[in-house]
Amino acid sequence: MNEEIPISLTVNGEDVTATAPARMHAADFLRHRLGNTGTHVGCEQGKCGMCTVQVDGVALKSCLMLAPQLEGACVRTVESLAVDNKLNGLQASFHRHHALQCGFCTPGFLMLATSIVERGEMLSRDEIREEISGVLCRCTGYENIISAIHEYLQETVAANPQSVAKELV
């Protein structure tokens, strides 16, 4: 019943093979088997968005997936964003705008925002508010998060759409 299943995938640019029980959530697999503890687990029902990661370029709630569903996938977690302990542009914008308080929701917001930015579309503040509605925050009131994402979109997408993919990868 608890047989371990081998799973091969790419996580943050690195090929990985590990095992997991068939019914283990992808969030728990990423955290406990692969050590990507930036993937936070909140509600475990897909309502809070704390566990948002990118799977094959799409922001998904990893608590709604089972680990074996990651077979062959390319997964990015929040650990992929900073390079050599230097914040990427989106993270720096979150820092400038004080878009975090306790920080528990921040990885989910960053991974969702990364997917938004990588689409290369300039969004209004209201459109950003709608886009991020799947990640809950109990501290910030969202305004600083929206400001951080909006500023970064203005700096990258509006200024030079071709540079977006290079900056975030």
Side-chain angles (χ1 to χ4, degrees), residues 70-120:
L70 296 176
E71 175 64 37
C74 180
V75 177
R76 285 182 66 201
T77 68
V78 72
E79 287 89 353
S80 72
L81 300 183
V83 178
D84 295 328
N85 291 323
K86 183 177 185 233
L87 300 179
N88 76 5
L90 182 60
Q91 290 172 303
S93 186
F94 267 62
H95 183 262
R96 274 192 309 280
H97 286 276
H98 307 288
L100 60 126
Q101 285 183 17
C102 81
F104 193 74
C105 64
T106 305
F109 277 114
L110 284 169
M111 294 313 297
L112 180 57
T114 296
S115 290
I116 292 168
V117 171
E118 287 176 345
R119 289 194 328 236

Side-chain angles (χ1 to χ4, degrees), residues 9-14 26-27 29-30 34 36 38-40 49-63 65 69-81 88 90 106-120 131 135 152 164-169:
L9 67 159
T10 302
V11 179
N12 300 331
E14 185 177 320
F29 176 71
L30 292 169
L34 302 183
N36 292 284
T39 303
H40 292 166
M50 302 305 149
C51 64
T52 301
V53 298
Q54 281 188 349
V55 179
D56 295 328
V58 178
L60 297 173
K61 296 173 182 175
S62 60
C63 74
M65 301 179 69
Q69 290 177 286
L70 296 176
E71 175 64 37
C74 180
V75 177
R76 285 182 66 201
T77 68
V78 72
E79 287 89 353
S80 72
L81 300 183
N88 76 5
L90 182 60
T106 305
F109 277 114
L110 284 169
M111 294 313 297
L112 180 57
T114 296
S115 290
I116 292 168
V117 171
E118 287 176 345
R119 289 194 328 236
E131 291 273 343
V135 181
Y152 190 70
V164 173
K166 291 179 187 174
E167 209 301 286
L168 288 174
V169 175

